[in-house]
Amino acid sequence: MNTKDLINHLTEDIIKLYDIKIPITDIDAVVEKLGGKVVNTSELQHKMENCYIKKHKDAFVILVDDRVKNSPNRTMLIARELGYLFLSMGYQTNRKLWNEWTDDTVYKRNYAFRTEDVKKEWMAYDFALALMMPEDEYRKIANQYSEGNQIKTRKIAEYFHVNLTAACLRGEKLGIIQSVI
């Protein structure tokens, strides 16, 4: 199974297991269902990222910069952190890996842009796309907002409560939307 299919299956399983309603209208409530907590903070104002995740005992905390509290990108930032949580930290998927993380240690990204680091970044973002816009639901909504060969991606973004870039990228990755040059 390739990485894309693995991520799609994992997010589908999480959605079913935790009875997450699609579209996700409250990402903070989803985080709580998963056993975590979202904390808005001003402590990240001088950090490279607007959002970080850290292990806290057998749970987790997602720290979100106050400056993005009302941003349309907030949902995708938090969903991406959930990607790191499940894929890179092993939360509820790999007990050995999860136990290697020290309590209250923030998941650090490596910005050396080595191939493996870039792959982890894209995997986390692909997880976010798949969680927020599951394939079957995306196809259904894309069909609903299609006229001929035109797809109203803005309507898709509004339906899923994500930004336009995320809605377009998910459509591209599913082969529904052709990339725009």
Side-chain angles (χ1 to χ4, degrees), residues 57-168:
K57 299 180 182 172
D58 268 338
F60 62 95
V61 175
I62 297 177
L63 304 169
V64 181
D65 192 325
D66 279 337
R67 293 172 299 169
V68 296
K69 188 187 263 184
N70 298 316
S71 167
N73 299 326
R74 183 179 184 274
T75 299
M76 285 302 294
L77 288 170
I78 293 171
R80 181 194 65 193
E81 295 304 308
L82 293 173
Y84 294 125
L85 178 74
F86 284 98
L87 299 171
S88 297
M89 295 175 74
Y91 182 71
Q92 297 185 356
T93 59
N94 183 333
R95 177 56 82 183
K96 184 177 181 281
L97 178 59
W98 179 250
N99 287 336
E100 290 174 8
W101 288 91
T102 310
D103 274 356
D104 297 318
T105 301
V106 171
Y107 177 79
K108 293 205 181 356
R109 291 135 181 92
N110 187 334
Y111 293 102
F113 296 107
R114 296 184 309 239
T115 302
E116 190 60 32
D117 299 323
V118 172
K119 183 179 176 185
K120 283 181 181 180
E121 293 293 315
W122 275 108
M123 286 173 56
Y125 193 70
D126 286 344
F127 179 97
L129 293 171
L131 180 67
M132 296 304 298
M133 299 171 278
E135 182 173 0
D136 290 344
E137 185 76 3
Y138 188 97
R139 289 183 184 284
K140 181 179 96 179
I141 298 306
N143 188 47
Q144 182 179 325
Y145 290 119
S146 296
E147 292 177 10
N149 64 353
Q150 299 276 325
I151 297 177
K152 298 177 181 176
T153 50
R154 189 167 309 283
K155 291 284 191 186
I156 294 171
E158 289 170 4
Y159 175 83
F160 286 110
H161 305 279
V162 298
N163 59 44
L164 184 59
T165 302
C168 290

